[in-house]
């Protein structure tokens, strides 16, 4: 099978929800549907059977073959997701409310997404509106039944608060989404224990880093916690070393990432700040020290929310037009290019020299200065 000819398999990217705002008075709830035995239900055409053989039986002649799309086959994911997409279209789930990478996130509830055999919806339980999202799950059930797919009865969720979506738990009262506190605790305990080992297993550290990385999905700026950790794991993999030695820098990065896990969350009720702040820095040399600066402007909050749709999260990403242009120079990680609307607003520029010569330290000081400028303004705290 030509992998390049297959359509891309895209899943909802939860950090995009950061540009969505839960309005005062709204109580978000979740409905979920999960198809039961999805792959064994999806029948493959007879022309495919010859490519899905199993080991021959004892007679050496009879070769059993899969008549359904087997798990682990790349084409099966495409088929499963395509069937789910068709089911959602026939069930009349609004496409403009769907969460997908490269697509602008809805600015308000409701919103829905699908992952192969899972479909979830987040909507307001108080004011349902003309879209009637409370009926979406039922329509999905009927359409799956029509094509011969059963809904898993033990995984059905109907308009329930404080449920999980793609590993993230939505707190209906506080309006934030993060990994469930019990799961964070279950990660912190073995993670901190691993730091007490003299030479921990590489697989154990790799697993801790992977789990922590998932938690960082709900606060993307925390991804900067790891630097030397990746280089250590890469070196150990190239040397085929089963165990690793944690240097002081690696120990500090892992310890910091684990301690900050309870802060890895997105507050969907926080209003957007009407002041846009950007930072930049330049490294120094032997004869000249570096420096950093701020550029900020007053922009209507609704415009800031529109700009945020071109980013993957609120915070240190660049802001630009909603119609961002995505540059697919790398099929694995496409780049996004946005145009700054600098001509419509008055931008203040403030800069200062520093005593550092390293660009990383300058960028860090600039980001801290930007956050400090917000903390000095009472109206911007909590935005």
């Amino acid at each position: 099978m030509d992998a390049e000819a297959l359509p891309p398999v895209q899943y909802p990217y939860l950090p995009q929800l950061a540009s969505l705002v839960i309005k005062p008075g709204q109580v978000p709830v979740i409905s979920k549907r999960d198809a039961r035995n999805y792959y064994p239900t999806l029948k493959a055409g007879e022309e495919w059977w010859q490519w899905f053989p199993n080991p021959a039986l004892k007679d050496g002649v009879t070769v059993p073959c899969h008549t359904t799309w087997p798990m682990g086959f790349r084409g099966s994911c495409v088929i499963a997701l395509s069937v789910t997409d068709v089911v959602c279209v026939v069930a009349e789930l609004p496409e403009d409310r769907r969460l997908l990478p490269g697509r602008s996130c809805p600015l308000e509830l409701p919103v829905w997404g699908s992952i192969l055999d899972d479909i979830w919806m987040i909507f307001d339980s108080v004011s349902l509106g003309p879209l009637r999202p409370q009926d979406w799950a039922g329509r999905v059930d009927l359409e799956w039944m029509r094509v011969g797919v059963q809904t898993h009865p033990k995984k059905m969720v109907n308009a329930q608060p404080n449920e999980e979506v793609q590993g993230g738990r939505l707190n209906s009262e506080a309006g934030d989404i993060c990994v469930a506190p019990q799961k964070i605790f279950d990660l912190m305990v073995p993670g901190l224990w691993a730091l007490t080992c003299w030479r921990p297993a590489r697989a154990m550290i790799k697993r801790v880093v992977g789990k922590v990385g998932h938690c960082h999905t709900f606060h993307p700026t925390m991804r900067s916690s790891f630097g030397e950790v990746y280089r250590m794991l890469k070196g150990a993999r190239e040397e085929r070393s089963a165990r690793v030695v944690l240097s002081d820098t690696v120990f500090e990065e892992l310890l910091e990432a684990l301690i900050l896990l309870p802060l890895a969350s997105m507050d969907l009720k926080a209003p957007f700040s009407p002041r846009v702040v950007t930072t930049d820095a330049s490294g120094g040399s032997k004869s000249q020290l570096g420096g950093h600066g701020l550029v900020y402007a007053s922009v209507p909050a609704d415009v800031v929310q529109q700009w945020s749709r071109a980013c993957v999260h609120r915070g240190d990403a660049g802001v630009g037009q909603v119609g961002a242009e995505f540059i697919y120079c790398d099929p694995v990680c496409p780049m996004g290019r946005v145009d700054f609307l600098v001509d419509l607003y008055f931008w203040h520029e403030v800069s200062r020299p520093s005593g550092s010569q390293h660009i990383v330290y300058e960028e860090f000081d600039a980001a801290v200065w930007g956050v400090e400028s917000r903390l000095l303004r009472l109206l911007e705290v909590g935005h």
Side-chain angles (χ1 to χ4, degrees), residues 222-302:
M222 287 187 176
R223 291 172 178 163
S224 60
S225 300
F226 292 143
E228 191 64 29
V229 172
Y230 293 135
R231 285 185 283 270
M232 180 270 294
L233 290 175
K234 179 181 179 182
R237 183 174 63 252
E238 294 174 349
E239 297 174 0
R240 298 184 178 182
S241 176
R243 295 189 174 274
V244 296
V245 178
L246 303 181
S247 64
D248 292 343
T249 304
V250 172
F251 182 90
E252 291 175 0
E253 290 181 357
L254 289 170
L255 181 61
E256 174 187 317
L258 290 169
I259 292 177
L260 295 178
L261 280 182
L263 301 180
S265 65
M266 294 188 299
D267 187 359
L268 303 185
K269 283 192 174 182
F272 281 86
S273 173
R275 193 172 68 96
V276 177
V277 181
T278 63
T279 62
D280 197 6
S282 61
S285 61
K286 294 182 179 180
S287 59
Q288 185 177 3
L289 296 177
H292 50 267
L294 304 177
V295 178
Y296 61 93
S298 297
V299 181
D302 58 334

Side-chain angles (χ1 to χ4, degrees), residues 199-213:
R199 293 189 63 191
R202 172 167 60 93
M204 179 171 59
I205 298 299
K206 182 180 178 181
R207 186 172 181 83
V208 170
V209 171
K211 295 291 186 180
V212 172

